[in-house]
Amino acid sequence: MAVVANETTIAQKLEALLKLQTIDSSLDSIKKMRGDLPEEVRDLEDEIAGIETRIGKFNREIASLEEEISKNRNTKKESEKLVNKYKDQQMNVRNNREYDAISKEIELQQLEIELADKRMREFEFKILNKRDDVSETETRLFHRQKDLDAKRKELDVLISESEDDEQRLLKDREKAVKFVEERLLRPYDKLRTNYANGLAVVLVKRGACGGCFNVVPPQRQADIKDHKRIIVCEHCGRILAGVEDVITASKR
């Protein structure tokens, strides 16, 4: 929580806010320099994780189909054994009734063999399709991984170039925040979120708000200069920390 002495003047409060804004703007510039690369890297990482999950799903489905083939192969073997057993029994029947009963059992097991063969063919066909899916998805994974590696290298270069400045600014920000009142920090953070350029505290420049560029009336400018109270832009709500003096060239 930010700690500020009770005797802090309005001018000091505005100075603390302006200092924090300057630091945050410098950090924003570093992030802007990196562009969309961090987000692109995160998107690629998420996409690759999704692709890997998909490949894992395909492989589990293939394993399940192979298990079904194995079950049907065992069923077929058992039925073939029974057919041979019943055929042997047919050689020793005592009447036509026993012969017909065994013949029906043989027919039943032969149907089981045909059904097992049919199921195995279907499962093998599905496995072929799944393996095609795996191959296609692995190719996509390979290319996306190459894209990610390239983006990461590019981002690493940009980070290394600005890492020292970023760390210094983050330490400066940590110190600067301590001098900003909590009741001012909350609206400051909200304003920064609301505006794409991250400007929450601005100066009046050339008679206009430094954030939205709407004209600030002379009397309001005078009030801002007096630093008797914190004044916000009536158009955009940004905190107006001061009025920038414009130096005009002297006439000769």
Side-chain angles (χ1 to χ4, degrees):
M1 183 175 175
V3 178
V4 182
N6 290 332
E7 61 272 13
T8 303
T9 65
I10 295 296
Q12 289 171 327
K13 292 175 182 179
L14 289 169
E15 184 182 353
L17 278 169
L18 194 57
K19 184 176 181 180
L20 180 60
Q21 178 67 77
T22 302
I23 294 169
D24 281 337
S25 292
S26 296
L27 285 167
D28 290 343
S29 295
I30 290 174
K31 291 176 183 176
K32 187 176 180 181
M33 179 187 67
R34 294 171 186 170
D36 295 329
L37 270 176
E39 188 175 344
E40 288 173 6
V41 167
R42 285 193 295 271
D43 288 345
L44 280 169
E45 287 172 342
D46 290 343
E47 184 180 352
I48 285 170
I51 293 172
E52 289 173 339
T53 299
R54 200 171 302 120
I55 291 172
K57 180 174 177 286
F58 287 147
N59 284 329
R60 287 192 296 274
E61 288 172 349
I62 288 170
S64 177
L65 289 166
E66 287 175 338
E67 187 178 343
E68 289 298 323
I69 288 174
S70 179
K71 288 178 182 176
N72 279 274
R73 188 176 290 118
N74 290 334
T75 298
K76 179 180 178 180
K77 286 179 181 178
E78 290 299 320
S79 293
E80 287 173 340
K81 287 179 183 177
L82 288 172
V83 167
N84 291 330
K85 175 185 173 183
Y86 292 142
K87 283 183 177 179
D88 289 339
Q89 289 178 356
Q90 268 186 331
M91 303 299 293
N92 300 306
V93 293
R94 290 169 294 182
N95 53 55
N96 288 338
R97 186 177 176 184
E98 287 183 3
Y99 185 88
D100 290 340
I102 293 174
S103 293
K104 287 181 180 179
E105 288 296 331
I106 292 173
E107 286 177 7
L108 181 62
Q109 294 307 317
Q110 284 174 337
L111 286 173
E112 285 291 333
I113 291 170
E114 290 176 8
L115 183 58
D117 282 334
K118 181 184 176 184
R119 285 173 176 167
M120 285 190 287
R121 285 194 299 271
E122 289 173 351
F123 292 143
E124 284 167 356
F125 181 74
K126 287 181 180 179
I127 286 174
L128 285 174
N129 287 333
K130 291 292 178 186
R131 283 180 176 155
D132 284 342
D133 289 337
V134 169
S135 178
E136 183 181 335
T137 310
E138 284 178 339
T139 300
R140 184 181 174 193
L141 175 63
F142 173 77
H143 290 299
R144 300 314 277 161
Q145 188 64 57
K146 281 185 68 177
D147 291 340
L148 176 60
D149 292 341
K151 294 286 184 184
R152 275 177 174 167
K153 286 178 182 178
E154 191 177 348
L155 182 59
D156 287 344
V157 170
L158 290 174
I159 288 174
S160 65
E161 289 175 351
S162 57
E163 190 172 15
D164 291 342
D165 289 338
E166 185 179 25
Q167 291 305 314
R168 175 181 56 78
L169 286 166
L170 287 171
K171 288 179 182 177
D172 290 345
R173 188 185 196 282
E174 191 176 340
K175 294 175 185 176
V177 165
K178 294 178 182 177
F179 292 94
V180 179
E181 289 182 348
E182 188 69 36
R183 69 182 185 88
L184 294 176
L185 192 59
R186 283 195 297 270
Y188 168 82
D189 289 334
K190 186 176 180 180
L191 280 166
R192 271 183 51 77
T193 304
N194 288 345
Y195 295 110
N197 60 11
L199 290 178
V201 182
V202 296
L203 297 174
V204 175
K205 298 181 179 181
R206 297 184 181 276
C209 169
C212 66
F213 309 113
N214 278 290
V215 173
V216 179
Q219 182 55 51
R220 200 167 183 80
Q221 290 185 45
D223 293 339
I224 294 166
K225 284 182 178 180
D226 285 343
H227 295 311
K228 290 181 180 178
R229 60 192 176 91
I230 292 175
I231 298 173
V232 300
C233 175
E234 58 187 11
H235 298 284
C236 67
R238 289 181 173 92
I239 298 168
L240 300 171
V243 178
E244 186 178 73
D245 292 325
V246 178
I247 300 174
T248 57
S250 58
K251 294 182 180 179
R252 294 185 180 180

PDB file of all heavy atoms in Angstrom, residues 90 93-104:
ATOM      1  N   GLN A  90     -18.627 -84.246 -35.073  1.00  0.00           N
ATOM      2  CA  GLN A  90     -19.570 -84.677 -36.109  1.00  0.00           C
ATOM      3  C   GLN A  90     -19.220 -86.081 -36.629  1.00  0.00           C
ATOM      4  O   GLN A  90     -20.097 -86.814 -37.100  1.00  0.00           O
ATOM      5  CB  GLN A  90     -19.558 -83.682 -37.281  1.00  0.00           C
ATOM      6  CG  GLN A  90     -20.582 -82.575 -37.163  1.00  0.00           C
ATOM      7  CD  GLN A  90     -20.620 -81.710 -38.409  1.00  0.00           C
ATOM      8  OE1 GLN A  90     -19.616 -81.552 -39.102  1.00  0.00           O
ATOM      9  NE2 GLN A  90     -21.783 -81.137 -38.680  1.00  0.00           N
ATOM     10  N   VAL A  93     -21.107 -88.744 -34.264  1.00  0.00           N
ATOM     11  CA  VAL A  93     -22.504 -88.586 -33.852  1.00  0.00           C
ATOM     12  C   VAL A  93     -23.257 -89.911 -34.003  1.00  0.00           C
ATOM     13  O   VAL A  93     -22.896 -90.760 -34.831  1.00  0.00           O
ATOM     14  CB  VAL A  93     -23.217 -87.497 -34.676  1.00  0.00           C
ATOM     15  CG1 VAL A  93     -22.619 -86.140 -34.367  1.00  0.00           C
ATOM     16  CG2 VAL A  93     -23.172 -87.792 -36.157  1.00  0.00           C
ATOM     17  N   ARG A  94     -24.325 -90.038 -33.211  1.00  0.00           N
ATOM     18  CA  ARG A  94     -25.101 -91.277 -33.229  1.00  0.00           C
ATOM     19  C   ARG A  94     -26.365 -91.155 -34.063  1.00  0.00           C
ATOM     20  O   ARG A  94     -26.948 -92.143 -34.457  1.00  0.00           O
ATOM     21  CB  ARG A  94     -25.471 -91.675 -31.796  1.00  0.00           C
ATOM     22  CG  ARG A  94     -24.278 -92.151 -30.971  1.00  0.00           C
ATOM     23  CD  ARG A  94     -24.613 -92.276 -29.517  1.00  0.00           C
ATOM     24  NE  ARG A  94     -24.898 -90.964 -28.914  1.00  0.00           N
ATOM     25  CZ  ARG A  94     -25.177 -90.787 -27.634  1.00  0.00           C
ATOM     26  NH1 ARG A  94     -25.244 -91.841 -26.825  1.00  0.00           N
ATOM     27  NH2 ARG A  94     -25.419 -89.590 -27.169  1.00  0.00           N
ATOM     28  N   ASN A  95     -26.789 -89.912 -34.332  1.00  0.00           N
ATOM     29  CA  ASN A  95     -28.008 -89.735 -35.123  1.00  0.00           C
ATOM     30  C   ASN A  95     -27.995 -88.369 -35.820  1.00  0.00           C
ATOM     31  O   ASN A  95     -27.125 -87.534 -35.563  1.00  0.00           O
ATOM     32  CB  ASN A  95     -29.257 -89.889 -34.241  1.00  0.00           C
ATOM     33  CG  ASN A  95     -29.177 -88.969 -33.017  1.00  0.00           C
ATOM     34  OD1 ASN A  95     -28.994 -87.768 -33.158  1.00  0.00           O
ATOM     35  ND2 ASN A  95     -29.318 -89.577 -31.829  1.00  0.00           N
ATOM     36  N   ASN A  96     -28.988 -88.218 -36.693  1.00  0.00           N
ATOM     37  CA  ASN A  96     -29.082 -86.967 -37.467  1.00  0.00           C
ATOM     38  C   ASN A  96     -29.362 -85.763 -36.571  1.00  0.00           C
ATOM     39  O   ASN A  96     -28.931 -84.647 -36.893  1.00  0.00           O
ATOM     40  CB  ASN A  96     -30.202 -87.091 -38.507  1.00  0.00           C
ATOM     41  CG  ASN A  96     -29.809 -88.027 -39.638  1.00  0.00           C
ATOM     42  OD1 ASN A  96     -28.628 -88.246 -39.876  1.00  0.00           O
ATOM     43  ND2 ASN A  96     -30.808 -88.576 -40.313  1.00  0.00           N
ATOM     44  N   ARG A  97     -30.071 -85.988 -35.494  1.00  0.00           N
ATOM     45  CA  ARG A  97     -30.398 -84.885 -34.599  1.00  0.00           C
ATOM     46  C   ARG A  97     -29.132 -84.276 -33.997  1.00  0.00           C
ATOM     47  O   ARG A  97     -28.971 -83.045 -33.954  1.00  0.00           O
ATOM     48  CB  ARG A  97     -31.320 -85.406 -33.494  1.00  0.00           C
ATOM     49  CG  ARG A  97     -31.832 -84.319 -32.582  1.00  0.00           C
ATOM     50  CD  ARG A  97     -32.780 -84.908 -31.564  1.00  0.00           C
ATOM     51  NE  ARG A  97     -33.211 -83.902 -30.624  1.00  0.00           N
ATOM     52  CZ  ARG A  97     -33.990 -84.150 -29.581  1.00  0.00           C
ATOM     53  NH1 ARG A  97     -34.438 -85.401 -29.355  1.00  0.00           N
ATOM     54  NH2 ARG A  97     -34.348 -83.176 -28.757  1.00  0.00           N
ATOM     55  N   GLU A  98     -28.215 -85.139 -33.548  1.00  0.00           N
ATOM     56  CA  GLU A  98     -26.942 -84.648 -33.003  1.00  0.00           C
ATOM     57  C   GLU A  98     -26.123 -83.969 -34.092  1.00  0.00           C
ATOM     58  O   GLU A  98     -25.484 -82.945 -33.862  1.00  0.00           O
ATOM     59  CB  GLU A  98     -26.141 -85.805 -32.400  1.00  0.00           C
ATOM     60  CG  GLU A  98     -26.702 -86.314 -31.087  1.00  0.00           C
ATOM     61  CD  GLU A  98     -25.829 -87.417 -30.496  1.00  0.00           C
ATOM     62  OE1 GLU A  98     -24.766 -87.737 -31.095  1.00  0.00           O
ATOM     63  OE2 GLU A  98     -26.197 -87.940 -29.444  1.00  0.00           O
ATOM     64  N   TYR A  99     -26.157 -84.544 -35.289  1.00  0.00           N
ATOM     65  CA  TYR A  99     -25.400 -83.990 -36.425  1.00  0.00           C
ATOM     66  C   TYR A  99     -25.894 -82.576 -36.753  1.00  0.00           C
ATOM     67  O   TYR A  99     -25.082 -81.647 -36.959  1.00  0.00           O
ATOM     68  CB  TYR A  99     -25.540 -84.899 -37.640  1.00  0.00           C
ATOM     69  CG  TYR A  99     -24.702 -84.459 -38.823  1.00  0.00           C
ATOM     70  CD1 TYR A  99     -23.383 -84.890 -38.956  1.00  0.00           C
ATOM     71  CD2 TYR A  99     -25.239 -83.596 -39.797  1.00  0.00           C
ATOM     72  CE1 TYR A  99     -22.607 -84.479 -40.034  1.00  0.00           C
ATOM     73  CE2 TYR A  99     -24.475 -83.182 -40.868  1.00  0.00           C
ATOM     74  CZ  TYR A  99     -23.155 -83.625 -40.993  1.00  0.00           C
ATOM     75  OH  TYR A  99     -22.388 -83.207 -42.055  1.00  0.00           O
ATOM     76  N   ASP A 100     -27.220 -82.395 -36.796  1.00  0.00           N
ATOM     77  CA  ASP A 100     -27.794 -81.085 -37.116  1.00  0.00           C
ATOM     78  C   ASP A 100     -27.476 -80.044 -36.035  1.00  0.00           C
ATOM     79  O   ASP A 100     -27.195 -78.875 -36.343  1.00  0.00           O
ATOM     80  CB  ASP A 100     -29.306 -81.195 -37.279  1.00  0.00           C
ATOM     81  CG  ASP A 100     -29.684 -81.971 -38.543  1.00  0.00           C
ATOM     82  OD1 ASP A 100     -28.825 -82.071 -39.441  1.00  0.00           O
ATOM     83  OD2 ASP A 100     -30.832 -82.449 -38.612  1.00  0.00           O
ATOM     84  N   ALA A 101     -27.497 -80.503 -34.778  1.00  0.00           N
ATOM     85  CA  ALA A 101     -27.214 -79.587 -33.668  1.00  0.00           C
ATOM     86  C   ALA A 101     -25.775 -79.078 -33.736  1.00  0.00           C
ATOM     87  O   ALA A 101     -25.497 -77.885 -33.562  1.00  0.00           O
ATOM     88  CB  ALA A 101     -27.469 -80.284 -32.335  1.00  0.00           C
ATOM     89  N   ILE A 102     -24.854 -80.006 -34.034  1.00  0.00           N
ATOM     90  CA  ILE A 102     -23.438 -79.624 -34.140  1.00  0.00           C
ATOM     91  C   ILE A 102     -23.221 -78.740 -35.363  1.00  0.00           C
ATOM     92  O   ILE A 102     -22.435 -77.789 -35.338  1.00  0.00           O
ATOM     93  CB  ILE A 102     -22.548 -80.887 -34.189  1.00  0.00           C
ATOM     94  CG1 ILE A 102     -22.611 -81.621 -32.842  1.00  0.00           C
ATOM     95  CG2 ILE A 102     -21.109 -80.511 -34.524  1.00  0.00           C
ATOM     96  CD1 ILE A 102     -21.889 -82.954 -32.836  1.00  0.00           C
ATOM     97  N   SER A 103     -23.942 -79.049 -36.453  1.00  0.00           N
ATOM     98  CA  SER A 103     -23.824 -78.233 -37.672  1.00  0.00           C
ATOM     99  C   SER A 103     -24.228 -76.786 -37.395  1.00  0.00           C
ATOM    100  O   SER A 103     -23.598 -75.833 -37.898  1.00  0.00           O
ATOM    101  CB  SER A 103     -24.705 -78.807 -38.784  1.00  0.00           C
ATOM    102  OG  SER A 103     -24.222 -80.072 -39.198  1.00  0.00           O
ATOM    103  N   LYS A 104     -25.273 -76.607 -36.595  1.00  0.00           N
ATOM    104  CA  LYS A 104     -25.703 -75.252 -36.244  1.00  0.00           C
ATOM    105  C   LYS A 104     -24.640 -74.519 -35.418  1.00  0.00           C
ATOM    106  O   LYS A 104     -24.411 -73.314 -35.593  1.00  0.00           O
ATOM    107  CB  LYS A 104     -27.021 -75.303 -35.465  1.00  0.00           C
ATOM    108  CG  LYS A 104     -28.224 -75.640 -36.346  1.00  0.00           C
ATOM    109  CD  LYS A 104     -29.506 -75.648 -35.539  1.00  0.00           C
ATOM    110  CE  LYS A 104     -30.697 -75.983 -36.445  1.00  0.00           C
ATOM    111  NZ  LYS A 104     -31.972 -76.033 -35.692  1.00  0.00           N
TER     112      LYS A 104
END
